[in-house]
Amino acid sequence: MANLRLTKHNIAMLESAMTLVNDINADALVLLLEGASDWERISEMVRKKGCEKPLIVAVDSVEELQGAAEAGLKPIALNKEKAPLLERLQHAILEAAADEFIKPNDELVAIYGGFTSGRLDSISHLKLDERMRRLSTRDLQSLESSVPLKVLKAVVDLAVQIGVEGREGKPCGALFVVGDTRNVLKHANESGVDPFKGYNKKARNLLDPKTQEDAKELAQLDGAFLITADGTIERSRQMLEVLHEDLNMSKGLGSRHWAAAAITRRTKAIAIVVSQSTGTVRLYQNGFLKMQIEPMDKGIKWQEISFKPPTASGDD
């Protein structure tokens, strides 16, 4: 990936973005890059411009961010090297919200290279709203679960990505049941061949980005993912057979949501559901809906339209 050289052009663009942050009183500046840069020098530019708001730097790997935090910047590793620009920008904003660098309803200025590698050429003014809300660590800590926070966050992040992106341009639903796996297995049966069967634990752990990508592909198949407390996919493609008595559910929610509520009523697991119709992510515990995360707006879908030109004799 191309590192960002601080040429006269790139410095001028950065200074313009910082000036805009000050002029409109934005809440943060997001710098979306392909590779590393001189983080100390960028931090010095922020101080000279009197820009007191957070500067979030988003690149594709942790290695490229070395020194960014020490320079006083807010680093985010995207792990989306081959993704389109808009998807990378959206993911950067979601990760910034998850790490509590920004909040719902914040206003951001984003600067990035949209046309030429290694050259900043685009500045955007973005207004967030509640539809982009992401779970914070504070939200997850309130759940009183034996599942480690980092595992819950990894599964929720994965679910939100599935809700936003779908698979192959189509909406995709999914169900993840995390923790108390021994008891959950008592209520589970295979719905088909489990693609993860036979792989070692390391290759099945959702804290690994490669395993996350595999899970996103397999989310299209029927059945739930059963995740242990350490983040290992114990089983996939599992049908949950649990009685639904005494459950109070909102109208319109499908079988995944009923199964999620029911399995968490019978066990100490936490269930995370992605709605196929809307991309909304819901988290269930003890049979109740605890949290709901709405996805970012999906990209525009262009459609062919039929057009009949007016006749020559028609009115203007």
Side-chain angles (χ1 to χ4, degrees):
M1 302 298 289
N3 290 349
L4 182 75
R5 294 174 55 245
L6 294 180
T7 62
K8 289 184 179 180
H9 169 87
N10 286 335
I11 289 173
M13 289 292 291
L14 278 167
E15 290 179 341
S16 297
M18 293 174 193
T19 299
L20 180 59
V21 169
N22 290 334
D23 288 349
I24 66 175
N25 195 28
D27 297 287
L29 173 61
V30 179
L31 176 56
L32 180 66
L33 301 179
E34 298 176 56
S37 189
D38 187 339
W39 305 127
E40 282 289 350
R41 191 174 172 192
I42 291 175
S43 181
E44 184 180 350
M45 290 174 57
V46 172
R47 290 191 293 271
K48 286 184 176 179
K49 291 294 290 185
C51 184
E52 299 179 354
K53 301 302 174 65
L55 174 52
I56 300 163
V57 291
V59 299
D60 285 309
S61 72
V62 174
E63 291 76 19
E64 293 166 325
L65 287 166
Q66 289 183 4
E70 290 77 4
L73 309 178
K74 305 293 186 183
I76 292 176
L78 299 176
N79 297 309
K80 282 185 170 290
E81 181 177 343
K82 297 181 180 179
L85 171 65
L86 179 58
E87 182 179 328
R88 293 176 71 244
L89 179 57
Q90 289 176 335
H91 190 65
I93 294 170
L94 285 174
E95 287 299 321
D99 291 338
E100 298 186 305
F101 296 156
I102 58 175
K103 304 183 298 298
N105 301 319
D106 273 358
E107 291 191 32
L108 311 178
V109 172
I111 179 169
Y112 46 92
F115 298 93
T116 305
S117 181
R119 180 181 171 89
L120 298 175
D121 53 37
S122 302
I123 298 175
S124 298
H125 175 208
L126 308 169
K127 294 186 178 182
L128 312 187
D129 61 32
E130 288 291 344
R131 291 172 298 173
M132 296 175 64
R133 185 175 183 273
R134 195 72 177 277
L135 283 180
S136 69
T137 54
R138 192 178 301 108
D139 293 323
L140 294 178
Q141 285 169 340
S142 70
L143 291 175
E144 295 185 2
S145 170
S146 60
V147 179
L149 184 65
K150 65 179 181 179
V151 173
L152 276 180
K153 185 176 181 295
V155 178
V156 171
D157 284 350
L158 176 60
V160 171
Q161 289 176 36
I162 293 171
V164 171
E165 301 169 8
R167 299 315 298 160
E168 298 179 354
K170 298 179 181 179
C172 180
L175 170 58
F176 301 90
V177 183
V178 189
D180 200 13
T181 308
R182 181 177 298 179
N183 286 320
V184 172
L185 283 168
K186 296 176 183 178
H187 304 279
N189 290 302
E190 293 183 354
S191 66
V193 176
D194 184 352
F196 284 100
K197 191 172 184 179
Y199 285 83
N200 61 43
K201 288 187 67 174
K202 184 177 180 181
R204 292 184 282 122
N205 195 287
L206 276 179
L207 298 180
D208 184 339
K210 183 180 184 304
T211 306
Q212 294 175 17
E213 289 300 316
D214 292 340
K216 285 161 70 174
E217 290 298 325
L218 297 174
Q220 305 172 76
L221 304 177
D222 290 334
F225 292 88
L226 308 188
I227 316 295
T228 64
D230 68 356
T232 302
I233 299 177
E234 185 66 25
R235 303 275 176 85
S236 66
R237 302 201 68 188
Q238 297 295 299
M239 299 303 294
L240 301 178
E241 298 181 0
V242 197
L243 295 177
H244 297 164
E245 78 278 8
D246 301 326
L247 290 178
N248 293 316
M249 301 283 287
S250 300
K251 291 181 179 180
L253 295 181
S255 58
R256 285 191 186 92
H257 295 83
W258 283 93
I263 196 64
T264 61
R265 173 67 66 86
R266 292 283 183 175
T267 69
K268 295 180 180 179
I270 292 175
I272 298 163
V273 190
V274 183
S275 170
Q276 182 170 342
S277 58
T278 64
T280 300
V281 174
R282 294 179 175 88
L283 189 149
Y284 291 86
Q285 187 181 37
N286 300 324
F288 296 100
L289 175 64
K290 292 290 186 178
M291 298 175 189
Q292 179 169 310
I293 309 107
E294 299 294 341
M296 292 178 62
D297 289 343
K298 293 180 173 59
I300 296 172
K301 294 183 178 179
W302 297 101
Q303 299 181 19
E304 295 292 334
I305 60 171
S306 58
F307 172 70
K308 184 178 181 181
T311 61
S313 58
D315 294 332
D316 290 341

